Amino acid sequence: QVQLAESGGGSVQAGGSLRLSCSIRGLTYSNNCIGWFRQTPGKEREWVALIQTRYETTTYADSVKGRFTISQDNVDNTVFLQMKNLAPEDTGMYYCAALMGAGVSYCRGTRPQSEFSDWGHGTQVTVSS
């Protein structure tokens, strides 16, 4: 069973930075798609960034492109989300999720969230103006 645990959330002022971590246990494939998603107040949960774990290809939502960076540590099975130049609209609960057995062409932002079978419990990010 895959288990994901997010950490690193907190409160920052606009323009600040945070680094989120997603610790992953129980992955059985080398080809996986790990994503960061967020639930902001009044909006549906949206994808933020994806990484294909074997080839380390990355994809970003337009709203975070150039400010957020997704990366991984294969030794510790951890996926990071480095967030810079944060804005109040980035406030929300951030989740990581796994889509196992996904190749590069399958690890896209258009992939339905329902296909991500395993989710963490989330970490809160609050950005004040």
Side-chain angles (χ1 to χ4, degrees):
Q1 182 178 359
V2 179
Q3 294 180 325
L4 301 97
E6 304 92 338
S7 61
S11 297
V12 297
Q13 291 190 328
S17 300
L18 282 172
R19 189 176 82 154
L20 306 183
S21 299
C22 174
S23 178
I24 306 170
R25 297 293 180 264
L27 284 176
T28 55
Y29 302 102
S30 59
N31 271 324
N32 301 292
C33 181
I34 306 298
W36 282 99
F37 300 80
R38 68 185 179 191
Q39 179 87 56
T40 56
K43 294 184 179 181
E44 294 185 353
R45 189 172 60 192
E46 61 179 350
W47 76 281
V48 173
L50 304 173
I51 186 166
Q52 204 281 343
T53 57
R54 182 173 184 181
Y55 297 100
E56 300 194 51
T57 56
T58 59
T59 309
Y60 299 93
D62 288 342
S63 59
V64 306
K65 201 171 293 183
R67 300 188 299 124
F68 291 11
T69 303
I70 188 170
S71 61
Q72 65 177 358
D73 182 332
N74 288 331
V75 175
D76 290 337
N77 287 327
T78 303
V79 172
F80 303 100
L81 185 68
Q82 177 68 54
M83 306 185 294
K84 298 181 179 179
N85 194 21
L86 284 161
E89 51 265 35
D90 295 315
T91 293
M93 185 70 77
Y94 283 69
Y95 302 89
C96 60
L99 196 169
M100 292 183 287
V104 171
S105 61
Y106 209 76
C107 191
R108 301 292 187 189
T110 53
R111 192 59 54 199
Q113 293 184 28
S114 58
E115 295 190 3
F116 287 80
S117 56
D118 299 278
W119 293 77
H121 294 295
T123 185
Q124 178 68 36
V125 172
T126 303
V127 185
S128 58
S129 58

